[in-house]
Amino acid sequence: MATTIPAAHQMGVRIAESRRGFAAATVPAEGNGNHFGVVYGGVVFTVAEILGGILALSSFDATRFFPLVKQVDIKFVGMATTDLRAEASLDEDTIVAVQAEADAKGKADYIVEAVVTDAGGNVVAKTHGQYQIRTHPS
């Protein structure tokens, strides 16, 4: 993360789990607060947004494809004063379909729904993102 997304690394975002079809990331509350003592919204967004790329790297052929984000909408549903965890998944049918489209067309879109929770399991935010994998340039 330090070399690929330095800003997220500076926030303390860490990959907690990454396997085919599932990704989770964490970020500490310490050092990421705002002017009224809760985790800054940009930090909440970041820990959720990176999951689209993590899912791509663990679910698709990373030697052939790279991920990019096209659009992410976020709904803040709570405030956090504790460390955060974001989780997202892709089902096997989606992975197979996206890979097949990317094989045929050189790129394919996929949707990632992420949930961000605080240390008590309370939902802080939900995201809906459109991502894409593309063939690495030759």
Side-chain angles (χ1 to χ4, degrees):
M1 185 105 35
T3 58
T4 57
I5 311 171
H9 176 74
Q10 290 172 349
M11 290 176 195
V13 173
R14 299 290 180 261
I15 298 169
E17 295 181 54
S18 176
R19 63 181 180 275
R20 182 175 176 91
F22 182 80
T26 61
V27 67
E30 185 175 340
N32 287 314
N34 65 13
H35 59 288
F36 57 95
V38 299
V39 178
Y40 172 60
V43 173
V44 177
F45 178 87
T46 300
V47 74
E49 186 279 324
I50 67 160
L51 296 179
I54 296 168
L55 278 167
L57 296 173
S58 63
S59 301
F60 306 114
D61 185 351
T63 64
R64 296 183 49 227
F65 300 102
F66 69 94
L68 59 88
V69 60
K70 292 178 73 176
Q71 177 179 337
V72 178
D73 295 315
I74 188 165
K75 181 176 182 181
F76 295 99
V77 296
M79 293 183 276
T81 57
T82 66
D83 296 355
L84 300 177
R85 179 180 173 96
E87 295 185 0
S89 60
L90 293 173
D91 62 57
E92 188 63 25
D93 289 344
T94 298
I95 293 169
V96 170
V98 170
Q99 181 72 54
E101 183 177 342
D103 286 337
K105 299 179 180 177
K107 62 182 178 179
D109 291 351
Y110 58 103
I111 300 297
V112 174
E113 306 275 351
V115 176
V116 182
T117 55
D118 67 11
N122 301 301
V123 176
V124 174
K126 296 180 180 182
T127 62
H128 173 90
Q130 183 179 9
Y131 295 80
Q132 187 176 83
I133 55 170
R134 289 188 180 187
T135 305
H136 283 288
S138 299

